[in-house]
Amino acid sequence: MEKQPLIQVSGLHKKFSSDLRRGLLHGAQDMWRDIVSPSRKNPGLRKGEFYSLRDINMTLYSGEILAIVGVNGSGKTTLMRLISGIYNLDGGTITSLPGLKLTAIFALSAGMQPLFTGRENIYIKGSMYGMTLPEIEAKVPFIESFSELGDRLDRPFGNYSSGMKARLAYSIAMATNPDVFIIDESLAVGDSAFKAKCMDNLREFVNEPGKGVIFITNHIRKILKVADRLLVLDKGSVIHEAEDVGAGLEFYINNCNKHLGAEMQKNKLAVIKSYEL
């Protein structure tokens, strides 16, 4: 049966400026251009600008967890912020199914207030995700159950350990009941039992019709545990795509070590495998 595309990215470009003041000027010029002539194309690179992403093509299908890996600065987070609508495109298109609901996690605890209790932060974070008061109240029992925090929900959030914060924040994100869940390195904290629970939860999530996950991480074991497909980013471009996730990760590791000789590259791969695989 043909897989249903949830999100399709075609010919995507994104540029930034290396100079803050010049970047603000270019931003103002772009805003004015969009108001006066919205159909006019974005200009090419201007002084001080560089491409963070160039000619990105990718598709997320229903029922899959798509992992995206790449060294720091390869463009992973920028790509997710574009898909989430946080950044404007400089070229290309991003299309999704009509009515598709997307929840993105870039920093689990962002916006949560340390002086308020965990329970009070459910309402704060839920509203940040666009949930109404009745929707939040209906999901409180799920959040209580999934987070397993018990009476600690009524303690100040600022007194939580990193693991407790991860439990609550992830539970609130899942309570939004999205069609597409974007996770950017967010499961790197927290205790092992809860991280394992989250991994299992992601697999259950994509088993529902019309659901998909984009997982941005360089944690090899997590990718091998849950991913169905892998994209490798390097210097703002997709350089590899693999349905054999293990083989795709070997490509990624070898690409990171391409400056080494063949024998040293082989030894490095063996060392990484001994720790990660």
Side-chain angles (χ1 to χ4, degrees):
M1 186 171 62
E2 187 176 351
K3 295 185 292 186
Q4 179 187 41
L6 297 177
I7 295 175
Q8 291 183 292
V9 175
S10 301
L12 184 148
H13 290 69
K14 181 61 182 176
K15 57 189 177 183
F16 292 108
S17 177
S18 56
D19 181 88
L20 177 59
R21 288 176 294 181
R22 194 177 296 276
L24 291 172
L25 174 62
H26 291 160
Q29 291 172 339
D30 291 343
M31 289 177 62
W32 177 250
R33 185 198 63 241
D34 291 342
I35 293 171
V36 174
S37 182
S39 62
R40 184 180 170 189
K41 291 184 179 181
N42 279 295
L45 289 181
R46 294 164 291 194
K47 185 176 181 179
E49 288 187 328
F50 64 93
Y51 280 111
S52 175
L53 294 171
R54 191 158 195 170
D55 197 25
I56 300 293
N57 298 282
M58 57 164 278
T59 303
L60 173 70
Y61 295 99
S62 174
E64 77 169 0
I65 298 177
L66 173 63
I68 300 180
V69 299
V71 298
N72 294 340
S74 60
K76 304 187 301 296
T77 299
T78 298
L79 176 58
M80 293 308 101
R81 288 177 176 171
L82 286 163
I83 293 174
S84 304
I86 297 173
Y87 289 160
N88 292 325
L89 302 178
D90 287 320
T93 60
I94 299 175
T95 57
S96 59
L97 286 181
L100 183 116
K101 183 177 180 181
L102 185 151
T103 293
I105 298 179
F106 297 106
L108 274 175
S109 301
M112 301 180 81
Q113 301 301 310
L115 297 181
F116 289 81
T117 66
R119 190 177 303 278
E120 289 168 331
N121 271 289
I122 292 174
Y123 291 85
I124 295 171
K125 190 72 171 181
S127 64
M128 290 176 65
Y129 282 128
M131 300 173 72
T132 64
L133 180 59
E135 287 173 338
I136 295 171
E137 290 179 337
K139 288 293 185 178
V140 167
F142 165 82
I143 295 169
E144 290 176 331
S145 173
F146 194 88
S147 67
E148 301 175 351
L149 289 173
D151 60 5
R152 292 173 292 182
L153 273 175
D154 297 304
R155 300 178 189 175
F157 184 76
N159 293 341
Y160 282 16
S161 67
S162 61
M164 292 167 63
K165 291 177 180 177
R167 284 173 176 266
L168 180 58
Y170 183 84
S171 300
I172 297 169
M174 286 305 302
T176 63
N177 192 31
D179 300 308
V180 172
F181 203 22
I182 297 179
I183 306 173
D184 189 354
E185 298 282 12
S186 300
L187 301 183
V189 297
D191 57 84
S192 297
F194 188 72
K195 284 189 280 190
K197 179 178 180 176
C198 291
M199 293 296 104
D200 290 339
N201 176 254
L202 289 181
R203 288 266 32 123
E204 293 172 5
F205 174 78
V206 296
N207 284 335
E208 299 179 32
K211 305 286 189 180
V213 172
I214 300 176
F215 190 21
I216 312 300
T217 184
N218 285 329
H219 289 266
I220 291 174
R221 287 184 180 178
K222 291 186 177 71
I223 295 170
L224 288 171
K225 172 71 175 176
V226 300
D228 301 297
R229 195 158 54 89
L230 182 76
L231 292 182
V232 181
L233 279 181
D234 186 34
K235 297 179 181 178
S237 298
V238 175
I239 61 169
H240 190 69
E241 180 175 352
E243 293 188 359
D244 184 334
V245 175
L249 286 170
E250 281 203 18
F251 173 91
Y252 165 59
I253 294 168
N254 286 330
N255 185 68
C256 292
N257 297 318
K258 61 187 176 184
H259 61 287
L260 302 176
E263 188 63 28
M264 289 186 67
Q265 190 178 94
K266 181 179 177 182
N267 293 338
K268 191 80 169 180
L269 177 61
V271 170
I272 293 173
K273 279 187 171 183
S274 69
Y275 282 101
E276 293 280 5
L277 307 182

